[in-house]
Amino acid sequence: MNNLATKSSQILTSSDIENLARRFGGKSDDYIEIMNTQKNQKTINKYALLKEIDDAIKTSKDKK
Amino acid sequence: MQRIFIKGIKGGIGSTSIVANLACVLKKSDVDVVAIDLDAKSDLGLHFGLKWTTTKGWSNEDTFEDALLHFRKDSDGVVFLPFGDNEATLDDITSIINNCKNLDYKESAWIIFDCPSHINISHYPLDQNDIVIELVTCDAICHSLIYKRLQTLKTVESTWKHFFVVNRYNAASVLEFDLFSLWQSTLPLMAPFFINSDEVIKEATANRNVALNCAPYSVANDDFETLAGWLVSKAAF
Ligand SMILES: Nc1ncnc2c1ncn2[C@@H]1O[C@H](COP(=O)(O)OP(=O)(O)O)[C@@H](O)[C@H]1O
Ligand SMILES: [Mg+2]
C-alpha cells in the first residue's frame, strides 16, 4: 500500500533554534556584497566577450 | 495619459508581441489603452485582428486629421493605429507622437507605442512622465548593447524613465542564467523580472489573438500580468 505522507510538525529543539539564528541573523550586508562581487567576477571571467567589455570599461574609468 | 514606448535594443526581440499582449492585459483590468504602430513593418495590427488586406495607416496620410480615420478597435476594446505602407521620416514619427497627445482620453488612459529598434529613442519628444522599455534578450550581444546604451543615456541626460526588460528568457540555459544574475546585481535600470520564452506567444499570434485569450493560464500570460503590474507601479512613481 502506498503510504501517503501527511504533514506533521514539532516544536524546535534549542539547538535547532540556534542553527536558525546563525543562518538568518549572522551575516552582514557587506558579506553578501563580497559574495556577489566574487560571483559576478567569476561570470565575467567565464565569457571572453564579457571580459573584454569589463576590461574596456575599467580602463576608461581609470583614465578619468 | 501615461505614455509607454516599447522597443527592442535590436530587431526581432518581441516589441510588437509585447505591445499587443500588454495592451490586452491592461484593457482587461479596465484601463483604456491605445496602441500606436511606429514601425514600418506595420505588423501590430495583425495581433489585433486587422485584416491582412488592410494595408493603409497613418503613414499614408499627410495630416493627423486624416490619420484619425485609420484608428481601429479590436474585440477586447483596445484602440490601435496601424503604421500603413508608406515611408515615414523621423519628423513624421515625431509629429504622430505629439499629435497623439491631443486624443480625447481620460488622464487614466495608457498609450503604448511600438517603436522600431533602429531609431534611437532619444530622438523622440519624451518627457519625464514617459516610460521607455528597451527589450533585451540574455545574450552577449545584448550585454554589449546595454553597456553602449548606458553610456549614451548618460550623455543625453535622459529625463524619461528608462528600463531594460528581458524577453524570451530560457530557464534551461546556463548562459542566460549567468547573464540575468549578473545584470540584476550590477546594472542600473534592469527590471527585476523576465518574460519567459513561451510558444504560447507565437501560437496566439498564429491564431490571430493574444495569450490572454488563447491561454489565460499560461506562463506567458502570467508574465504579461507581471509586466503590467510593474508598469503601473512605475507609472505612479
Ligand atoms: N517571450 C517570447 N517567447 C516566444 N516567442 C516570442 C516571445 N516574444 C516574441 N516572440 C516571437 O519572436 C518573434 C519576433 O517578435 P516580434 O514581436 O515581431 O518582435 P519585434 O517587434 O521586436 O520585431 C515572433 O515570432 C514572436 O512570436
Ligand atoms: Mg515589431
Side-chain angles (χ1 to χ4, degrees), chain B residues 15-16 39 41 43 114:
Chain B
S15 68
T16 307
D39 191 335
K41 283 204 291 294
D43 54 352
D114 180 13

Coordinates of all heavy atoms in Angstrom, one line a residue, chain B residues 15-16 39 41 43 114, ligand 2:
Chain B
S15 N 9.1 43.3 -29.5 CA 8.4 44.5 -29.1 C 6.9 44.5 -29.5 O 6.0 44.8 -28.7 CB 9.1 45.8 -29.5 OG 9.0 46.0 -30.9
T16 N 6.7 44.1 -30.8 CA 5.3 44.1 -31.2 C 4.4 43.1 -30.5 O 3.3 43.5 -30.0 CB 5.2 43.8 -32.7 OG1 6.1 44.7 -33.4 CG2 3.8 44.0 -33.3
D39 N 6.4 51.4 -36.3 CA 7.4 50.6 -37.1 C 6.9 50.3 -38.5 O 5.8 49.8 -38.7 CB 7.6 49.3 -36.3 CG 8.8 48.5 -36.9 OD1 9.2 48.7 -38.1 OD2 9.4 47.7 -36.2
K41 N 7.4 48.0 -40.4 CA 6.9 46.7 -40.7 C 5.4 46.6 -40.7 O 4.8 45.7 -41.2 CB 7.5 45.7 -39.7 CG 9.0 45.4 -40.0 CD 9.4 44.0 -39.4 CE 9.5 43.9 -37.9 NZ 10.5 44.8 -37.3
D43 N 3.2 45.6 -38.5 CA 2.6 44.3 -38.2 C 1.8 44.2 -36.9 O 1.2 43.2 -36.5 CB 3.6 43.2 -38.2 CG 4.8 43.5 -37.2 OD1 4.9 44.6 -36.7 OD2 5.7 42.6 -37.0
D114 N 4.6 51.1 -30.3 CA 5.5 50.0 -30.8 C 6.6 50.7 -31.6 O 6.4 51.1 -32.7 CB 4.7 49.0 -31.6 CG 5.5 47.9 -32.1 OD1 6.7 47.7 -31.6 OD2 5.0 47.1 -33.0
Ligands
MG2 MG 7.8 44.7 -34.4

